[in-house]
Amino acid sequence: MTTESRLEVRDIHLSFGEIRALQGVDVDVPSRGITALIGPNGAGKTALLNSVSGIYRPQSGRVLLDGEDLVGLPPHVVAKAGVGRSFQHLELFARLTVTENLLVARDFLFSGNPVSAMVFYGSARRQEMQHRAAVESIIDFFELWPYRDVPARALPYGVQKLVGFARAMASEAKLLLLDEPGSGLTRDEKEDLARFLLRLRDDRRIPILWIEHDLDMVLDLADHIYALDLGRVIASGDADAIRDNAAVAASYVG
């Protein structure tokens, strides 16, 4: 492993019966920057994120986070290791407020005994205050102040997507996996999303592995891009390399 890599995916193979979702995929995510995954539907992009986050267990290969193999670990252990994940289909708790959704993402960070938690004193009280302060910081970062006490089910779709993004950060992740956070957003909402992505990269310095179908957006923002098709990496490089790649044009654009 190089000192510049946060995540290394090595020769991952994932099959469901006769369906080969991933076929020898190699991906590197540096410790800084935005790494994008592009490709047509069914290319294997979400399957790769699911393999990293513990939802799927590949039949072979390695997923190394700071040199430690994550393959075979359940999702909650992967989250504890520092992998934050947003989902294409939101997966928010509809009846909980924005603040409560973000606090739930930090649940595994709580420690202590049930008695102190029930009576809310000592370390339990201090932890509650610390976690609420951390959540307020994330609300500030994503400019979600008007919605902090609004149930998720009452939020506009674009705000729900942003809350899903914010929730991935709430777990104190050292790597973010973002599954199409821009899908279904208006142009203005995509511009806000781009601003937050760049702030995470430049200010918070959190590495990001990002699935996105908006190729123009990817070419503008990503530091490195992997193009997948039929479970294989068909190209990788910077925006210029991907823009000029014939295989990408045939599979993704064409």
Side-chain angles (χ1 to χ4, degrees):
M1 171 181 169
T2 68
T3 56
E4 295 182 353
S5 294
R6 174 57 43 86
L7 179 74
E8 292 179 286
V9 175
R10 290 290 174 265
D11 196 26
I12 287 294
H13 290 260
L14 175 69
S15 298
F16 303 98
E18 296 183 358
I19 299 174
R20 302 178 70 182
L22 298 171
Q23 304 182 61
V25 171
D26 290 318
V27 167
D28 282 278
V29 179
S31 57
R32 287 189 62 182
I34 299 171
T35 303
L37 297 174
I38 65 171
N41 290 331
K45 304 182 299 297
T46 296
L48 179 59
L49 259 60
N50 286 345
S51 297
V52 173
S53 58
I55 296 173
Y56 294 160
R57 181 170 184 171
Q59 281 77 32
S60 63
R62 297 188 298 166
V63 176
L64 304 174
L65 180 72
D66 291 334
E68 299 296 324
D69 200 348
L70 302 179
V71 172
L73 300 180
H76 71 279
V77 176
V78 175
K80 285 183 178 180
V83 178
R85 170 77 188 273
S86 76
F87 294 87
Q88 181 180 354
H89 301 296
L90 297 174
E91 308 295 342
L92 298 176
F93 293 96
R95 296 185 179 183
L96 299 186
T97 67
V98 168
T99 299
E100 290 165 342
N101 266 280
L102 299 184
L103 282 169
V104 167
R106 300 180 63 83
D107 182 69
F108 69 87
L109 298 171
F110 281 81
S111 62
N113 61 73
V115 174
S116 64
M118 284 189 294
V119 299
F120 194 57
Y121 79 98
S123 65
R125 181 182 179 86
R126 288 192 296 273
Q127 286 187 71
E128 176 75 13
M129 294 173 64
Q130 291 168 358
H131 289 301
R132 285 190 174 274
V135 164
E136 285 299 319
S137 175
I138 293 167
I139 287 173
D140 286 345
F141 182 90
F142 286 99
E143 300 169 9
L144 289 167
W145 323 289
Y147 308 104
R148 58 161 50 88
D149 297 319
V150 178
R153 63 185 176 187
L155 297 171
Y157 180 76
V159 178
Q160 290 187 41
K161 295 286 284 191
L162 196 56
V163 173
F165 188 174
R167 188 177 61 177
M169 261 193 70
S171 61
E172 296 190 359
K174 57 184 180 181
L175 169 69
L176 285 176
L177 309 179
L178 305 179
D179 194 349
E180 297 192 38
S183 66
L185 299 187
T186 66
R187 181 174 180 177
D188 287 345
E189 289 168 340
K190 285 188 176 183
E191 289 177 356
D192 281 339
L193 173 63
R195 183 163 52 86
F196 292 129
L197 285 168
L198 292 175
R199 285 185 61 198
L200 282 172
R201 183 191 69 184
D202 298 334
D203 299 342
R204 297 288 181 102
R205 300 187 178 184
I206 298 175
I208 297 167
L209 183 58
W210 169 41
I211 294 176
E212 182 56 62
H213 273 292
D214 187 331
L215 186 56
D216 288 335
M217 191 175 183
V218 169
L219 295 174
D220 284 342
L221 300 179
D223 300 294
H224 195 88
I225 304 165
Y226 289 88
L228 277 68
D229 194 16
L230 300 176
R232 297 181 183 274
V233 174
I234 60 170
S236 69
D238 62 14
D240 290 336
I242 295 300
R243 187 182 289 110
D244 298 334
N245 189 283
V248 174
S251 70
Y252 185 77
V253 180

